[in-house]
Amino acid sequence: MVSRDTLIAPGRTVELHLEVRFQDGFVAFSTFDAEPIAFKVGDGTLATGLESTLLGLPDGTDTYVIGHGSELFSPYDETNIHWIEPSDFPPGMTPVPGQVVAFHTPGGHETSGLILELVEGRVRVDFNHPFAGRSLTIRVKVLSVA
């Protein structure tokens, strides 16, 4: 029987490896060959939707979660696609479709955008979460729960 002390729950400290794959098998994110993620459940390290799928998993679990990025990370919002002037990009940078670029918001926060296309000197950029709107397979390996 699994002890309640070793289950992922609000307020617990967790260390885990995480891998996110797109439907075509492309690995979009992985910590399996790097440092694991360490966080306290509810501290905002993981997206709320993803975190809720981990609740109740015991220490030592190595499992897969099938889900949709719009539910696990952020809803896809068509209004988050904008036309940007080339002058808004860093000096010397040439935007290329498919490229992910970091931008600073007027409030001083950093956000990323996926360059969709270049048309008549303007650049169309998708500012949705890169996993939003996609079917995902997520591998989670829980290393410790305290």
Side-chain angles (χ1 to χ4, degrees), residues 90 100-113 127-130:
V100 176
V101 179
F103 292 90
H104 291 282
T105 66
H109 300 284
E110 186 173 283
T111 188
S112 62
F127 288 100
N128 282 290
H129 189 286

Side-chain angles (χ1 to χ4, degrees), residues 6-9 12-18 31-32 36-37 39 41 46 53-63 65 139-146:
T6 62
L7 299 179
I8 296 178
R12 300 265 179 183
T13 300
V14 179
E15 187 174 71
L16 55 76
H17 279 294
L18 183 68
T31 65
F32 278 87
I37 298 170
F39 65 100
V41 177
L46 298 182
T53 66
L54 305 178
L55 296 176
L57 292 179
D59 184 4
T61 297
D62 191 348
T63 191
V65 175
R139 180 180 174 201
V140 178
K141 183 174 184 178
V142 182
L143 303 175
S144 67
V145 179

Side-chain angles (χ1 to χ4, degrees), residues 89-90 92-103 112-118 123-126:
F89 288 84
M93 184 191 160
T94 302
V96 176
Q99 184 178 33
V100 176
V101 179
F103 292 90
S112 62
L114 173 66
I115 298 174
L116 299 176
E117 63 182 335
L118 288 80
V123 183
R124 191 165 164 241
V125 181
D126 184 347

Side-chain angles (χ1 to χ4, degrees), residues 8 16 18 20 39 41-57 65-75 129 131-132 136 138 140:
I8 296 178
L16 55 76
L18 183 68
V20 180
F39 65 100
V41 177
D43 73 1
T45 299
L46 298 182
T48 306
L50 175 61
E51 193 172 78
S52 69
T53 66
L54 305 178
L55 296 176
L57 292 179
V65 175
I66 307 296
H68 200 273
S70 293
E71 296 168 359
L72 298 175
F73 291 93
S74 177
H129 189 286
F131 300 156
L136 305 171
I138 298 169
V140 178

